[in-house]
Amino acid sequence: MMSGFAPLTDEERAVYEWQIWVPEFGEAGQEKLKNASVMISRCGGLGSVVAYELAAAGIGKLVIAHAGNVKPSDLNRQLLMTHDWLGKPRVESAERRLKELNPRLEIVAVPENISEKNAEQLVNQVDLIVDCAPLFPERYAMNHQAVLQKKPLVECAMYDLEAQLTTFIPGQTGCLACLYPHDPPAWKREFPVFGAVSGTVGCMAAMEAIKVISGLGETLANQLLMFDLRDMTFQRNRILRRTDCAVCGV
């Protein structure tokens, strides 16, 4: 979480001028972004784009958790990774690139993946979570802490040319365990995907985070947005809160 409240500087007004012009957002919305903190699980194909868009939008603090080093197969979609950083830690590449874009941004770069051991401490540092993890143990660990700590959770995922996106708000919606009570057996860490697909849903997830923080527009709370870029079809399905949910059930 951010400590205290910091108003916009003249430099920030100049940088974010065009989005400040957005009706119902304005300078008040920009100040909310500046004073907000977001955790992003993994800075890969999804997380790289989410982080970059939030940094560009003027978020105040990002906590990014991702283990491992940059490898060649990352470069088709992980836009915070560069060829000259092969073999070096992913979070260091992410921090370097984000600071080049927004030197005012506070970054906590954690060279670990989310687990039950670190989820509580990491979620405690932020106002909102964007879940870009490829595996469900990570997703469940964040979801559990989001419910316990009453933090909004933006969920996004992709496969092939398909993607899905939703927003969970504790006390107002169900949670990830309502949607997926059990770890889907077909869910794998490595899968077919284009960078443009992860980039598309990553931009949308960043916009969801901006909306939740600023109060702009309507979020995907209680709605699962699914789309297939092979034929550009989009659909929304309602997500029901399960009263027998082991995580958020009443």
Side-chain angles (χ1 to χ4, degrees):
M1 292 184 178
M2 305 289 288
S3 58
F5 178 84
L8 299 180
T9 65
D10 290 339
E11 178 192 26
E12 288 166 334
R13 289 187 183 91
V15 171
Y16 305 117
E17 182 179 38
W18 286 33
Q19 67 191 43
I20 289 173
W21 292 340
V22 173
E24 301 177 14
F25 181 73
E27 191 164 314
Q30 192 63 50
E31 287 182 336
K32 289 178 181 178
L33 293 187
K34 177 178 180 175
N35 289 277
S37 53
V38 174
M39 185 181 82
I40 302 173
S41 64
R42 306 281 188 125
C43 50
L46 279 177
S48 281
V49 176
V50 173
Y52 204 70
E53 291 294 342
L54 289 178
I59 205 76
K61 175 182 175 181
L62 287 177
V63 176
I64 301 173
H66 198 158
N69 299 330
V70 181
K71 59 183 186 297
S73 61
D74 297 335
L75 300 179
N76 84 308
R77 67 198 181 284
Q78 299 186 12
L79 300 186
L80 295 181
M81 311 303 146
T82 55
H83 190 274
D84 62 339
W85 215 259
L86 287 169
K88 299 178 184 179
R90 288 189 180 94
V91 289
E92 292 181 10
S93 181
E95 182 174 17
R96 172 181 59 105
R97 296 264 282 164
L98 293 170
K99 283 286 192 179
E100 288 174 350
L101 172 66
N102 183 354
R104 300 168 300 279
L105 175 64
E106 179 184 353
I107 300 176
V108 177
V110 182
E112 304 171 10
N113 295 330
I114 303 295
S115 68
E116 292 184 358
K117 294 181 179 180
N118 61 18
E120 179 181 2
Q121 183 263 336
L122 292 175
V123 170
N124 189 52
Q125 298 182 47
V126 300
D127 302 307
L128 179 144
I129 309 154
V130 182
D131 181 4
C132 305
L135 299 176
F136 265 77
E138 292 177 57
R139 291 180 178 266
Y140 285 143
M142 278 178 287
N143 179 68
H144 187 220
Q145 288 303 318
V147 172
L148 287 179
Q149 300 187 35
K150 297 179 170 56
K151 305 288 179 71
L153 173 63
V154 176
E155 275 282 337
C156 50
M158 75 287 182
Y159 180 89
D160 192 73
L161 271 68
E162 302 174 3
Q164 63 184 47
L165 176 68
T166 189
T167 296
F168 297 117
I169 302 177
Q172 299 180 32
T173 72
C175 72
L176 179 65
C178 293
L179 183 60
Y180 294 104
H182 307 288
D183 189 340
W187 206 279
K188 307 295 182 183
R189 189 182 70 80
E190 296 181 343
F191 50 88
V193 70
F194 275 96
V197 179
S198 54
T200 299
V201 70
C203 285
M204 296 170 76
M207 195 66 237
E208 274 292 290
I210 290 168
K211 287 156 61 180
V212 172
I213 292 166
S214 68
L216 176 67
E218 297 182 8
T219 71
L220 285 168
N222 291 312
Q223 300 285 329
L224 178 66
L225 175 67
M226 298 178 290
F227 57 89
D228 188 341
L229 298 184
R230 284 182 184 275
D231 55 8
M232 291 298 179
T233 53
F234 290 72
Q235 64 179 18
R236 293 206 300 185
N237 293 331
R238 185 166 179 79
I239 300 174
L240 298 178
R241 183 177 184 181
R242 296 169 56 103
T243 56
D244 62 344
C245 177
V247 178
C248 74
V250 293

